[in-house]
Amino acid sequence: DFIIVFLSDFNSVPESGPIEYIKRGRVSTEHNEFKHIGYKDCLLKMLSHSKNDQEFTHTFNMASAYSPELMPYTNYTFDFKGIIDYIFYPKNTMKPLGILGPISEEWLKEGKIIGCPHPHIPSDHFSLLVEMGLTLDNNNAVTSSSVSSLVHQPPPSLLGFNRHRSGPQKNEF
């Protein structure tokens, strides 16, 4: 058995074809971003799990660790502020235990920061960090006793969140 985690600067906004493909497990070959490029005959089609030539599919059942509600942008420049960086995980076998939240809107406004890089933020991309845990249930193939002991006794949170309370705790920097 194996677990796939995708994390990257995809340079794609949430409503784009590549992100729809990863999140939903399918995307139309006629998606606006694919119409004129000839993807129907490319590697994506060869890897597709569908006989339907009107869509590309995969069976990984992925979810995004971050949502626009949690982090409204991962890229913050003078002329673009949006989500283009992602951490996708298999939602049947993993779950987020702790997530690094966004940079404070108040701090950005008070500092009159209209884009990055900035002396205090050296990249135009904000860091994404997720502490993940394996989930085990009767429907899962993850059954190793060594993995099971790690899941039932997780290490202390790397992110300063307390898993036993509801919601993330505020961190002061």
Side-chain angles (χ1 to χ4, degrees):
D1 294 337
F2 60 91
I3 294 175
I4 294 177
V5 177
F6 295 129
L7 50 149
S8 182
D9 168 4
F10 285 89
N11 282 329
S12 297
V13 295
E15 56 276 356
S16 69
I19 301 307
E20 179 181 337
Y21 173 71
I22 294 169
K23 286 175 77 171
R24 290 187 57 232
R26 65 184 62 249
V27 67
S28 169
T29 57
E30 297 298 318
H31 191 284
N32 285 337
E33 294 180 8
F34 302 152
K35 279 187 174 180
H36 305 291
I37 301 177
Y39 281 104
K40 285 185 179 182
D41 300 319
C42 78
L43 181 61
L44 274 179
K45 190 60 186 172
M46 289 185 259
L47 296 174
S48 186
H49 283 77
S50 174
K51 301 273 189 236
N52 181 348
D53 65 351
Q54 299 303 305
E55 65 182 3
F56 302 117
T57 63
H58 69 76
T59 60
F60 296 121
N61 204 10
M62 306 299 279
S64 177
Y66 280 87
S67 68
E69 297 78 27
L70 175 62
M71 193 147 188
Y73 33 78
T74 62
N75 187 256
Y76 193 84
T77 66
F78 175 74
D79 58 352
F80 176 81
K81 292 165 180 60
I83 298 172
I84 59 173
D85 305 290
Y86 302 87
I87 298 175
F88 291 107
Y89 64 94
K91 59 185 170 186
N92 292 340
T93 56
M94 297 184 85
K95 70 177 183 175
L97 300 175
I99 298 173
L100 180 66
I103 293 177
S104 164
E105 282 282 336
E106 294 81 33
W107 184 82
L108 292 169
K109 287 178 185 175
E110 287 173 9
K112 298 178 181 163
I113 299 170
I114 58 172
C116 296
H118 179 273
H120 296 291
I121 305 172
S123 175
D124 60 332
H125 296 264
F126 294 157
S127 296
L128 301 182
L129 179 65
V130 178
E131 182 179 7
M132 301 298 293
L134 294 174
T135 58
L136 299 175
D137 61 41
N138 293 335
N139 298 324
N140 260 326
V142 182
T143 58
S144 166
S145 60
S146 62
V147 171
S148 177
S149 68
L150 290 174
V151 172
H152 295 295
Q153 299 296 324
S157 175
L158 301 173
L159 305 176
F161 297 135
N162 185 336
R163 287 187 199 95
H164 303 292
R165 294 187 183 176
S166 62
Q169 304 301 305
K170 182 176 181 180
N171 288 332
E172 304 265 339
F173 293 103

